[in-house]
Amino acid sequence: MDRHFCTKLKFDLRASAAALGIGPGIMVAANYNNKEFVTIVKFGISGILVTCVAYLAYLMFFSITSNDFKSVLYSYILAIPLSYHLNCKFVFKKIYSLRSYSWFVFIQLIAMFLNYFILRRLNLYFEYYISAMISYGVVPVVIFLLNRILVFKK
């Protein structure tokens, strides 16, 4: 790839982020090296897989219980072990440890309550499946940042 193109791409990403008011913490992608970029892509792939499992589980449990909290809780119970496994082995290439799993579960609990809060608010205005699509699109960004900082440190 042309070196000038990469420099221009970095500049365009930074300018776009600045125009959107996104801080430097979110702009990891603008300063990536190839290894970090691959990590972000792998996280996205595993995140899409886990999100699909969690979303389908949420829809299934909601159709059975008609209860937001129970549906989110059950979907997270199914998704957490899958997500930890994929993040350890596929994304960050780390070994399993009780400490990292504890942090991982703690972050997932934060994400679960954030997800629940978003769903409760959006369900006032949208059908539950639309609310779930929005929520399950926002929460993974928070999860990636917290995992990168607290669980799977370099």
Side-chain angles (χ1 to χ4, degrees):
M1 198 182 296
D2 181 31
R3 187 171 186 80
H4 175 69
F5 175 76
C6 290
T7 304
K8 174 136 177 52
L9 178 63
K10 283 184 185 180
F11 176 78
D12 289 345
L13 287 172
R14 285 189 187 122
S16 299
L20 293 172
I22 298 172
I26 301 295
M27 282 309 300
V28 172
N31 296 318
Y32 70 85
N33 57 32
N34 286 338
K35 190 174 181 181
E36 187 68 23
F37 180 72
V38 169
T39 301
I40 292 170
V41 170
K42 285 181 176 181
F43 184 83
I45 292 168
S46 72
I48 288 169
L49 177 64
V50 171
T51 300
C52 288
V53 168
Y55 178 66
L56 292 173
Y58 170 81
L59 293 176
M60 181 185 70
F61 289 123
F62 190 83
S63 69
I64 295 168
T65 67
S66 296
N67 183 306
D68 282 334
F69 185 74
K70 286 181 182 177
S71 301
V72 169
L73 178 66
Y74 298 155
S75 71
Y76 269 76
I77 288 171
L78 287 175
I80 286 173
L82 174 62
S83 182
Y84 182 73
H85 173 73
L86 288 174
N87 279 293
C88 271
K89 297 301 176 187
F90 176 64
V91 178
F92 297 107
K93 306 276 190 213
K94 301 288 183 179
I95 59 171
Y96 298 119
S97 76
L98 182 59
R99 181 183 177 281
S100 70
Y101 188 72
S102 299
W103 271 110
F104 190 82
V105 170
F106 178 70
I107 289 169
Q108 296 304 317
L109 289 174
I110 290 171
M112 183 185 74
F113 285 108
L114 177 62
N115 191 6
Y116 174 69
F117 177 77
I118 292 170
L119 285 170
R120 291 293 290 176
R121 297 298 164 245
L122 292 179
N123 279 344
L124 296 174
Y125 306 103
F126 303 105
E127 293 291 326
Y128 73 93
Y129 58 90
I130 295 173
S131 300
M133 283 176 47
I134 295 168
S135 182
Y136 281 93
V138 169
V139 173
V141 175
V142 174
I143 293 172
F144 175 78
L145 294 174
L146 291 174
N147 277 330
R148 190 60 157 147
I149 294 166
L150 298 173
V151 180
F152 302 108
K153 303 174 205 168
K154 284 187 176 184

